[in-house]
Amino acid sequence: MKGDLVRQSSDGTLTSPKRTFRPRHYLMCEPTFFDVRYSINPWMDPTRPTSTQRGISQWKALHDLLVSLGHTVDLVEPVAGLPDMVYAANAATVVDGRALVARFRHLERADESPAYLNWLQAHGWEPLQATHVNEGEGDFLCAGDVILAGTGFRSEPKSHDEAQEFFGKPVLGLTLTDERFYHLDTALAVLDEGEIMYNPRAFSPQSRGLLAERFPDAILADEADAGVFGLNAVSDGLHVILPEQAKRLPDQLRERGFEPIGVDTTELLKGGGSAKCCTLELRPVRSVRRG
Ligand code: ARG
């Protein structure tokens, strides 16, 4: 198994901390019915042609990559008429074997909740649908002992309290202010326990302050990388899968001992999502894993 990687930089010093790969369990949904027929975020333009076929091949490449890295990937059956169902991350937050299922802000996505809830139920994850608007791992990211929670566009502040109660873990609320980065996972990625990368410009001044205080060593994404959804990344503690269009982030990640892997998700970006949006992490009971 890969891991514990230390790299030597060009000046000969060993700068990277050790990294540990841990296999994860993900849930994904093939984009069989992928399309952009409505617009609920600034990336979605229904007048621009989309190719379901290209969406499927890009999704499949991501799926196969995760499997080849050693992860378990389960699949939920896609439902006709739910073109956004491929963005599995939004459907729930699963921590310690407990699943809080999304309550979507937009009616267009409402029927995704029962589809995911049924899958989670059938596979023993004890799901409960959230009472307040809550878009799952789109807005709730597990960072070690704390859950980072976004609000401003989709999940409502009350859903943060609900998640804190449900998971029995502290939830740190963060306010998003740039509509291009409407979900937390478009503006921030958890790389490892307590380590993140983010785009400060996507947050309110107060949230920026909270992040700087709590994560002083975080990787900061520049405007160009954030703009190609470079932060919509999936990390297993060693590999960080992110859009291949991100230019600086790969080096920033390598400097810290991560192994960035670029993927092409340009078709799926037409719906406003990339690698992270397509993967929902299923964290088992009494997980000792963090992040
Ligand atoms: N079209 C979807 C929406 O606007 C895209 C969701 C992308 N997912 C994500 N985790 N950011 O809801």
Side-chain angles (χ1 to χ4, degrees):
M1 193 180 290
K2 292 188 186 178
D4 293 346
L5 189 99
V6 177
R7 280 179 188 278
Q8 199 164 12
S9 59
S10 51
D11 68 357
T13 52
L14 294 172
T15 50
S16 300
K18 289 187 174 183
R19 294 292 159 202
T20 310
F21 163 85
R22 287 190 207 87
R24 315 276 169 138
H25 188 175
Y26 298 115
L27 181 61
M28 295 181 76
C29 179
E30 188 176 293
T32 316
F33 305 105
F34 174 68
D35 201 355
V36 177
R37 278 188 248 142
Y38 49 82
S39 180
I40 55 172
N41 70 55
W43 303 85
M44 300 175 84
D45 176 1
T47 63
R48 202 167 145 216
T50 28
S51 159
T52 304
Q53 211 38 59
R54 273 191 74 209
I56 292 175
S57 17
Q58 292 178 353
W59 175 90
K60 196 163 180 328
L62 173 66
H63 169 273
D64 293 355
L65 172 65
L66 289 167
V67 172
S68 75
L69 292 173
H71 301 296
T72 301
V73 183
D74 280 332
L75 298 177
V76 57
E77 193 67 33
V79 176
L82 297 177
D84 275 341
M85 205 175 155
V86 59
Y87 306 112
N90 306 154
T93 309
V94 185
V95 180
D96 288 337
R98 306 197 70 211
L100 188 57
V101 174
R103 183 171 293 277
F104 286 93
R105 174 160 300 275
H106 300 286
L107 197 60
E108 290 89 339
R109 298 196 68 184
D111 288 345
E112 294 181 37
S113 292
Y116 279 93
L117 189 131
N118 291 341
W119 188 94
L120 289 160
Q121 198 137 45
H123 294 80
W125 293 92
E126 294 184 34
L128 181 83
Q129 188 181 16
T131 305
H132 300 288
V133 171
N134 168 326
E135 297 208 349
E137 280 213 338
D139 276 325
F140 291 84
L141 297 173
C142 213
D145 285 335
V146 67
I147 296 177
L148 305 178
T151 187
F153 297 101
R154 298 290 179 89
S155 303
E156 34 183 16
K158 279 183 179 167
S159 72
H160 297 179
D161 300 336
E162 187 180 9
Q164 178 155 304
E165 183 105 337
F166 183 81
F167 295 115
K169 277 180 156 239
V171 169
L172 182 71
L174 298 165
T175 303
L176 296 159
T177 52
D178 179 335
E179 61 172 357
R180 288 175 306 152
F181 308 112
Y182 57 94
H183 272 147
L184 184 63
D185 73 354
T186 66
L188 184 153
V190 176
L191 300 168
D192 205 347
E193 184 178 344
E195 272 181 88
I196 64 166
M197 55 179 184
Y198 70 102
N199 168 18
R201 296 164 301 277
F203 294 91
S204 68
Q206 204 221 352
S207 298
R208 244 179 258 176
L210 284 176
L211 287 167
E213 195 183 318
R214 186 149 194 139
F215 303 99
D217 300 324
I219 293 178
L220 302 182
D222 66 22
E223 186 63 32
D225 281 357
V228 292
F229 259 37
L231 294 164
N232 198 245
V234 182
S235 174
D236 59 26
L238 172 64
H239 313 101
V240 179
I241 303 171
L242 74 171
E244 63 188 12
Q245 287 74 18
K247 291 287 173 269
R248 269 193 69 220
L249 282 175
D251 282 341
Q252 292 173 283
L253 288 161
R254 266 184 224 108
E255 274 162 25
R256 292 168 194 238
F258 293 104
E259 284 189 16
I261 306 177
V263 286
D264 180 14
T265 51
T266 43
E267 201 59 35
L268 299 165
L269 192 54
K270 291 180 185 170
S274 181
K276 173 67 190 85
C277 299
C278 294
T279 53
L280 170 63
E281 186 167 349
L282 305 175
R283 298 178 184 80
V285 183
R286 288 177 200 279
S287 169
V288 283
R289 277 195 289 98
R290 306 276 163 90

